[in-house]
Amino acid sequence: MSTAPQLVVHRDKELMAQAAAARLITRIVDAQASRGSASVVLTGGRNGNGLLAALAAAPARDAIDWGRLDLWWGDERFLPEGDPERNVTQAREALLDSVPLDPKRVHAMPASDGPHGTDVDAAAAAYAEELAQAAGPENHGPVPAFDVLMLGVGPDTHVASLFPELPAVRETERTVVGVHGAPKPPPTRVTLTLPAIRAAREVWLLAAGEDKAKAAAIALSGAGEIQAPAAGAYGRSRTLWLLDGTAASQLPRSLYPPASA
Ligand SMILES: O=C(O)[C@H](O)[C@@H](O)[C@H](O)[C@H](O)COP(=O)(O)O
């Protein structure tokens, strides 16, 4: 059952990143208070990394019990360990290296020089197995019930590494697949699929910048998920679009409350 998207529009991308970081702190603290731990899926890209940098600078940052937080990724560029273009490398620089996470609870996607070598499909299958091992009987399918799954939105409406019309967005069974020939470099990637994304309690889509305005308008106007993957990204209890004013500029004004100043 898809949850209708809620929209929050912020004045600019810096405020959107700061507000989203504050929202994430609260969500994690609440999850840890009620269940003893929290599980979050990170996204790559400028908006995703901007949120992590804002979180690193947030005064309330250490309200989070970093040792009881599981971090997963929505997608990863299939490059060697430590490559500056890998999402996990950028996340470490933005936040992860400055907080006391439990390394066993940081679930990076495999690198192209890891145990699976350059076999991206084997790497994807291994990550799917890691997710299945982490899932419990209370979960909806072979992935943990992520508290928050974040997705940057591409100018073509892609999310994670699910690109319009390509095979990965059409996947209905597997939770993780390899991507060959992605239009956004690098071409080879590992990605969660829509079924895995939809297992999350909350899905937050991050869209700031004028290059996202058309994508937001398409994805929120009833487009199909194959042509507009962002339209198919929704959570079990909440789907939240976090935008700035420029990314919301092509949306009907009735679609969102007054932008936060
Ligand atoms: O690996 C990636 O590139 C990201 O996971 C990708 O899905 C990203 O989130 C979008 O392309 C938006 O990126 P920007 O925020 O930089 O526009």
Side-chain angles (χ1 to χ4, degrees), residues 91-105:
R92 287 194 187 287
E93 283 165 13
L95 171 68
L96 309 192
D97 285 351
S98 54
V99 290
L101 291 156
D102 175 351
K104 293 189 301 301
R105 303 183 81 156

Side-chain angles (χ1 to χ4, degrees), residues 42-49 74-77 85 87 150-156 158-163 184-186 189 206-208 211-212:
L42 302 182
T43 182
R46 291 161 297 173
N47 288 180
N49 290 323
D75 74 331
E76 186 55 276
R77 293 94 179 267
E85 281 307 300
N87 290 333
M150 294 184 286
L151 296 166
V153 178
D156 60 356
H158 79 261
V159 289
S161 290
L162 304 176
F163 294 91
K184 176 179 181 182
R189 292 158 165 261
L206 312 176
D211 61 328
K212 310 305 175 73

